[in-house]
Amino acid sequence: MRFVYSLLIRCAVPAALTALLWRGFTDRSYWQGLGQRLGFGSSLREPRIWLHAVSLGEMSAAAPLLRALRLRYPQLPLVVTSATPAGRARAQALFPNDADIRFLPYDTPGSVRRFLARIQPRAAIIMETELWPNLLRACERRGVPVLLASARLSDRSVARYRRFGTLFSGVFTTNLLVAAQTSGDAERFGAIGAAAAQIRVTGNVKFDLELDAGVVQAGQALRTKLGAPRPVWIAGSTHAGEDEQVLDAHASLLRLRPDALLILVPRHRDRFADVADLLRRRGIEFARRSEMMGSEMMGGETMGGETMGGEMTRGIDAPRARAAPVLLGDTVGELALLYACADAAFVGGSLVAVGGHNLLEPAALGLPVLTGPSYGNSKEIAQLLLARGAALQVGSASELAVVLERLLADPLERRRIGAIGQEIVASNRGSVERLLALIEPKA
């Protein structure tokens, strides 16, 4: 069945490259590193530790592990790969001078063979759940130990792997070790073929998140520009079908708190323009975060953020930003800063059937966290926060508005809830150290 899988992947590559070329007409970052998708790129002179994080969220979660690896193995340079331009941009922002950053190749035999020959990995670390049969088999042939770090697997994914049957047989190669987030994840990996000796439970690396130095101060400085006395809430990592519900909740809130500000941050940067169009269609005045950052753009990046397409932007006057009821977060890499200037945070992907996103970042900043009922991507984290009272669940736009109005009117309650979240994050740290104990670069 490996032959069938490889044939299907080869057939899919032209379509995947065509899609990248098409998306590049609106976002030129998709045209970068196309050769790397096929395993080409510069050959490195010395062996490396290689870490792969598929996209922006996984790359941000991997940052503490990457920093720890740099300290533990200073003699071994790092290679960091991602599958998306947003993930690659985040890696470049985190490690501008400390790692070779490139795209992961497609999982064809030739592409992965070229890729591994060029980077010469002594150890491979793959974040969360990226089970690429040809890549794992090629690492096994080269004797490269592979760690699936902070690994998670949903019940839905188990059913999907089982449906493919023998197509993914042998994916758990002898060189692979699964470092599962929870005992439930460990059981699910066992159910799709991982041997018990290949599985460890090490916790979730997201609890080891490191907030950038000065992010709280930067968030408060931004809040001052937006009008410090205003109540501010943020909807982070929202998806299509969810933005509308968030805006409905904000409209209800404005009837009670006319000065309230919503910071609306879509999950994917290719949706920034769509959400701006949605705001215009609804007749909602809004400011753009990218415009507030001024005209000092160099290649689309400044102050830790990246704008869509890297275009030059004009500055806007402070009174306009302070008057608008909505700030559109149309930059990449600034979500923590935007959380830091808010009073309460709704985390998206949870009022639509996506599975939710990272609840820990706003919790670590001491914010009350709101989530919808769809939080399966981080089920254990969400249940822990909900059970302890650090997070509150809402099921609709009207419920979201009611809870927000209550929280924004009660600063003592916000601080109480936020303190619980910070304690939960602090008490569950340690996954990075447990992962380091499992990483053994080959001689």
Side-chain angles (χ1 to χ4, degrees):
M1 294 302 290
R2 182 63 54 83
F3 171 79
V4 174
Y5 168 80
S6 297
L7 180 63
L8 292 172
I9 288 290
R10 286 192 183 99
C11 292
V13 165
L17 288 174
T18 300
L20 290 177
L21 292 171
W22 179 258
R23 296 184 76 173
F25 284 106
T26 55
D27 184 349
R28 298 299 172 85
S29 65
Y30 282 94
W31 289 353
Q32 298 171 359
L34 287 176
Q36 295 172 8
R37 307 278 190 175
L38 300 175
F40 295 105
S42 58
S43 295
L44 305 179
R45 296 181 179 178
E46 52 189 336
R48 311 255 166 154
I49 294 179
W50 162 45
L51 183 142
H52 173 68
V54 63
S55 191
L56 175 64
E58 292 80 5
M59 190 66 70
S60 296
L65 179 57
L66 281 164
R67 295 189 181 102
L69 286 168
R70 188 175 55 187
L71 293 173
R72 178 70 63 91
Y73 301 103
Q75 78 283 8
L76 290 177
L78 295 172
V79 172
V80 180
T81 60
S82 183
T84 68
R88 182 172 179 262
R90 183 59 175 155
Q92 290 170 331
L94 287 168
F95 302 100
N97 304 309
D98 299 322
D100 181 279
I101 298 165
R102 56 183 74 191
F103 287 113
L104 184 75
Y106 297 124
D107 197 40
T108 66
S111 296
V112 298
R113 186 169 56 249
R114 287 187 290 269
F115 169 73
L116 293 175
R118 282 165 169 76
I119 70 167
Q120 306 178 64
R122 286 194 176 179
I125 304 161
I126 301 176
M127 298 300 297
E128 298 199 3
T129 310
E130 291 280 296
L131 297 174
W132 296 108
N134 286 326
L135 180 62
L136 294 174
R137 181 67 69 187
C139 286
E140 183 184 41
R141 289 188 182 124
R142 295 177 69 94
V144 179
V146 179
L147 178 68
L148 199 62
S150 202
R152 63 183 177 90
L153 196 66
S154 67
D155 291 329
R156 183 186 304 175
S157 296
V158 170
R160 187 161 54 244
Y161 279 111
R162 284 176 168 169
R163 189 162 57 248
F164 284 110
T166 58
L167 194 60
F168 279 85
S169 63
V171 71
F172 293 100
T173 51
T174 57
N175 60 321
L176 178 66
L177 186 62
V178 179
Q181 292 185 12
T182 68
S183 57
D185 290 307
E187 291 176 3
R188 287 186 283 274
F189 276 104
I192 64 169
Q198 289 182 285
I199 305 173
R200 307 285 189 278
V201 178
T202 58
N204 192 333
V205 73
K206 289 182 178 179
F207 281 106
D208 289 281
L209 80 170
E210 298 173 357
L211 298 174
D212 292 340
V215 69
V216 174
Q217 293 82 352
Q220 291 305 306
L222 175 59
R223 171 131 186 185
T224 299
K225 292 181 182 179
L226 297 170
R230 305 176 69 183
V232 179
W233 70 287
I234 180 171
S237 299
T238 59
H239 288 255
E242 193 166 46
D243 305 294
E244 294 83 353
Q245 297 182 69
V246 166
L247 291 174
D248 288 343
H250 192 54
S252 298
L253 183 63
L254 287 173
R255 288 192 282 271
L256 299 170
R257 303 293 298 268
D259 60 339
L261 171 66
L262 161 65
I263 303 175
L264 179 57
V265 188
R267 173 68 174 179
H268 300 114
R269 66 179 182 174
D270 56 6
R271 295 192 58 248
F272 293 162
D274 292 339
V275 177
D277 288 341
L278 172 64
L279 289 162
R280 293 189 193 98
R281 290 196 305 271
R282 290 198 170 202
I284 298 172
E285 183 183 359
F286 69 99
R288 288 178 177 267
R289 170 61 182 152
S290 60
E291 291 177 342
M292 294 185 67
M293 294 166 73
S295 59
E296 295 83 17
M297 292 289 179
M298 294 297 294
E301 292 192 32
T302 183
M303 293 175 59
E306 177 190 318
T307 61
M308 182 174 60
E311 69 272 14
M312 300 289 284
T313 59
R314 67 187 187 282
I316 63 172
D317 57 298
R320 177 183 160 192
R322 289 196 294 267
V326 175
L327 174 66
L328 176 60
D330 60 344
T331 58
V332 175
E334 285 202 312
L335 186 56
L337 182 149
L338 296 175
Y339 277 137
C341 73
D343 296 310
F346 167 77
V347 178
S350 59
L351 279 175
V352 289
V354 169
H357 296 295
N358 187 2
L359 302 176
L360 293 178
E361 196 166 45
L365 287 163
L367 297 182
V369 180
L370 307 179
T371 178
S374 176
Y375 48 70
N377 288 340
S378 299
K379 184 177 179 180
E380 289 79 10
I381 289 175
Q383 290 177 337
L384 174 61
L385 294 175
L386 289 166
R388 293 280 300 278
L392 302 171
Q393 183 175 323
V394 296
S396 64
S398 58
E399 287 185 26
L400 179 58
V402 169
V403 175
L404 282 169
E405 196 281 327
R406 176 170 61 83
L407 289 173
L408 294 177
D410 193 342
L412 291 178
E413 178 67 358
R414 293 200 306 270
R415 284 196 289 271
R416 185 191 70 80
I417 294 173
I420 297 172
Q422 288 180 313
E423 189 279 327
I424 290 173
V425 173
S427 63
N428 282 277
R429 292 182 183 273
S431 178
V432 166
E433 284 300 317
R434 290 187 284 272
L435 290 171
L436 286 176
L438 299 176
I439 296 168
E440 297 180 6
K442 67 174 184 176

